[in-house]
Amino acid sequence: MMKLVRGDDVLRAILSGELDHHSAREIRAELDAVLCEMMPHTLILDFGGVTFMDSSGVGLIMGRYKKLQENGSISIAGANDSIQRIILISGLHKLVHTCKDVSQAAKNIEK
């Protein structure tokens, strides 16, 4: 499940539940439509409510990175320890910012 919050040149996607093959497909479609329409400089993926992520979640993050890499950035906020491990093992930590929570991600934007 996902809720989108639009800001000035920032899009925050609040994710919850399991991020697997079925949910990733729906999230990808909705998120891509808004990214194309809004073209934000920063995408914050709020993982605070995500309880599980498999390789489909890695693909979701990687695809949004590719869409924003030239003119923007992605921050992952609030990921639990198991999701942090997946981000580390997959190498995503080299491509996206990881933050303890959304407030830290917002502070990074201001820098």
Side-chain angles (χ1 to χ4, degrees):
M1 181 177 266
M2 177 178 66
K3 177 183 175 188
L4 295 174
V5 179
R6 299 173 191 224
D8 292 335
D9 214 21
V10 177
L11 178 62
R12 178 178 167 206
I14 304 167
L15 307 172
S16 61
E18 296 186 354
L19 188 49
D20 58 14
H21 174 71
H22 299 290
S23 62
R25 185 177 338 137
E26 295 171 11
I27 291 169
R28 183 180 307 113
E30 185 178 352
L31 193 53
D32 283 354
V34 175
L35 286 172
C36 287
E37 170 195 324
M38 188 180 164
M39 295 183 151
H41 182 265
T42 303
L43 171 62
I44 298 174
L45 297 173
D46 183 348
F47 271 73
V50 177
T51 56
F52 170 82
M53 182 176 88
D54 63 13
S55 61
S56 299
V58 173
L60 176 80
I61 296 166
M62 180 63 78
R64 291 348 84 203
Y65 167 77
K66 287 180 180 178
K67 286 187 177 296
L68 291 172
Q69 72 182 11
E70 287 184 31
N71 299 314
S73 65
I74 297 178
S75 292
I76 297 174
N80 65 34
D81 289 343
S82 63
I83 293 172
Q84 285 283 5
R85 254 189 316 278
I86 293 169
I87 291 168
L88 183 66
I89 291 168
S90 67
L92 284 173
H93 68 287
K94 297 176 184 176
L95 305 176
V96 302
H97 306 284
T98 56
C99 306
K100 182 178 65 171
D101 54 32
V102 173
S103 63
Q104 184 183 25
K107 286 178 186 174
N108 289 343
I109 294 169
E110 297 169 4
K111 291 182 180 179

